[in-house]
Amino acid sequence: MNLNNLEDLKKEVKDLGFNPKVADELEKNMKPLPGHFTIKDQFPGDRGVVDMTLHFHKSGQSDTYNLNKYEVASGKVPPTVENQQYMVLTENKDNKEKPLVRTFESPNEAIDFFKKQKGNSELALGESPDSKQILASKENGKENYINKDFRSAYFRPAIKQTFYLKDGQGFNARQAANMVQDRTVFRDNMMTRDGEPYKAWVRLDFDQKKDDWGNHRFKQFHHPTFGFDLEKTLNAYKIKELADPAKKSEIMDAMRQGDRVQVTALNKENKEVKVMAEAVPRYSKLDFFNDSGVRQKREQFEKPLINNLSQGRGQGKGKEKELEESRGMKV
């Protein structure tokens, strides 16, 4: 095993923002020198867990490995509690009293595996098969039961996207987790096909047909061409934390990563309200949500003197100024 390569990969996954367990699992996966191996990771999401699968490929000319892509899936499945796991139980032809059990770190993978079963099977959650909660079941390959609290997660497919990396550069884990949750992130290290650097806000385009590899296309809002100014947009709202330069900087940094940030906003009655805010560069606005994820009317938090100006700015851009398609650009 190439120890320099191991050290480099540990730094790479750390710089990309993956959880420490990814770096911890690298050595044991590299030791047997397989041609390819994967490591799983998870991030919390607003609607459920965000699963990540990192792909490491061995060079054909040496014993070094590269992380060239990772797959991300965001569903509506809540994370498991401690000591519980998702499992699929299938019929054991050799012993009908003892079903075959396969466990999963990823609830989204468990659902996908269960849906492919042709015979009698169960999708369950629990510490063991003996203390399981049945979430769904099949008889002769057809669903005959879906837990009512699990139906939304089961019938609404997870949003999936593959993110590609080159020399450790690309969308980081935090950005990717936000993008599959329909949020926009800022990249200042992008390159055109001709090798020219540029900056842009980027989101996944869920309105267009996927590409030939099953990925959502990217929608870009170039900076400064498109005209979205995060600081000016923030200043158009009555947000208490903006009075503190350090907190304002933290909020801006988090929003560039695509985070939904908790802030204290003042409504029309000048009462403080704790809300979650996220940047929406497409319309030069912020969106606000309560603790339950329900969208709030942004107008109640706008500064009176800027209200009309900010509305006009968002409407004036519209779709006609969405220069993000820009042919010749890549991410």
Side-chain angles (χ1 to χ4, degrees):
M1 183 176 63
N2 188 319
L3 295 180
N4 287 331
N5 183 218
L6 173 63
E7 185 178 53
D8 291 343
L9 286 176
K10 284 186 175 182
K11 182 179 185 303
E12 185 174 323
V13 296
K14 179 182 179 181
D15 290 346
L16 286 167
F18 292 102
N19 288 309
K21 73 165 193 172
V22 174
D24 294 341
E25 293 181 15
L26 275 170
E27 185 171 355
K28 71 177 182 181
N29 281 278
M30 290 173 64
K31 266 187 176 180
L33 298 179
H36 167 260
F37 66 88
T38 61
I39 296 178
K40 304 287 186 180
D41 200 3
Q42 283 188 344
F43 284 76
D46 297 327
R47 304 177 183 88
V49 338
V50 178
D51 290 316
M52 297 190 178
T53 304
L54 290 72
H55 290 260
F56 296 86
H57 290 271
K58 185 173 176 291
S59 168
Q61 288 75 42
S62 67
D63 58 356
T64 61
Y65 288 86
N66 295 297
L67 171 60
N68 56 9
K69 69 176 181 180
Y70 63 101
E71 297 160 346
V72 184
S74 173
K76 296 187 69 176
V77 189
T80 59
V81 299
E82 188 176 1
N83 297 326
Q84 286 196 337
Q85 57 190 346
Y86 285 89
M87 63 189 86
V88 175
L89 298 84
T90 54
E91 189 175 9
N92 186 348
K93 294 181 180 179
D94 296 328
N95 185 352
K96 292 188 178 181
E97 300 299 321
K98 190 174 182 180
L100 301 174
V101 181
R102 179 169 175 177
T103 60
F104 296 83
E105 292 183 28
S106 161
N108 294 309
E109 287 185 1
I111 293 173
D112 288 344
F113 183 78
F114 172 77
K115 287 182 177 181
K116 296 175 182 176
Q117 300 310 302
K118 304 298 183 184
N120 298 336
S121 57
E122 293 176 342
L123 172 63
L125 175 66
E127 294 184 10
S128 70
D130 295 328
S131 60
K132 66 181 185 294
Q133 175 192 7
I134 298 176
L135 303 174
S137 63
K138 280 186 176 183
E139 185 176 4
N140 297 323
K142 293 184 178 180
E143 290 99 341
N144 60 359
Y145 171 74
I146 308 293
N147 184 300
K148 67 177 183 179
D149 296 326
F150 193 69
R151 290 172 187 170
S152 179
Y154 185 83
F155 289 111
R156 184 174 179 177
I159 295 173
K160 299 179 180 180
Q161 184 77 6
T162 299
F163 292 88
Y164 293 91
L165 302 167
K166 184 176 181 181
D167 300 326
Q169 295 295 313
F171 292 101
N172 63 42
R174 185 173 166 191
Q175 292 173 330
N178 281 320
M179 291 175 75
V180 293
Q181 296 179 87
D182 198 16
R183 297 207 277 272
T184 309
V185 306
F186 183 73
R187 285 273 305 275
D188 60 1
N189 60 347
M190 303 179 75
M191 302 288 289
T192 68
R193 297 187 188 278
D194 297 325
E196 294 295 325
Y198 71 99
K199 303 176 183 179
W201 290 85
V202 189
R203 65 185 292 265
L204 297 181
D205 192 344
F206 296 110
D207 298 324
Q208 300 296 321
K209 181 181 177 181
K210 292 182 180 180
D211 65 20
D212 295 338
W213 295 271
N215 270 330
H216 295 284
R217 302 176 191 275
F218 292 107
K219 202 164 194 176
Q220 301 182 31
F221 306 88
H222 295 271
H223 178 80
T225 312
F226 182 72
F228 174 66
D229 187 312
L230 177 58
E231 184 172 15
K232 287 183 179 179
T233 301
L234 278 167
N235 289 336
Y237 298 91
K238 297 178 289 182
I239 297 175
K240 186 177 180 180
E241 288 81 1
L242 299 182
D244 183 331
K247 290 182 179 179
K248 181 177 182 178
S249 179
E250 289 178 6
I251 290 172
M252 292 180 65
D253 288 343
M255 286 186 169
R256 291 188 183 104
Q257 295 297 319
D259 289 351
R260 188 175 284 181
V261 186
Q262 186 179 65
V263 298
T264 308
L266 300 177
N267 61 20
K268 289 183 177 180
E269 290 75 34
N270 280 329
K271 292 183 179 180
E272 294 186 359
V273 183
K274 291 288 186 182
V275 289
M276 304 299 291
E278 68 177 73
V280 189
R282 183 179 184 180
Y283 299 116
S284 292
K285 297 282 188 180
L286 298 185
D287 273 347
F288 296 89
F289 303 84
N290 65 14
D291 290 340
S292 300
V294 178
R295 191 187 303 272
Q296 306 296 291
K297 291 184 178 180
R298 65 169 69 94
E299 290 78 11
Q300 66 181 310
F301 306 122
E302 288 181 336
K303 293 179 180 177
L305 296 178
I306 304 179
N307 186 39
N308 293 333
L309 174 61
S310 63
Q311 286 183 348
R313 181 178 58 196
Q315 294 170 356
K317 282 185 170 63
K319 292 187 177 181
E320 68 274 10
K321 198 175 180 181
E322 290 183 2
L323 303 176
E324 67 279 6
E325 297 296 336
S326 293
R327 297 179 181 179
M329 299 295 182
K330 64 178 181 179
V331 294

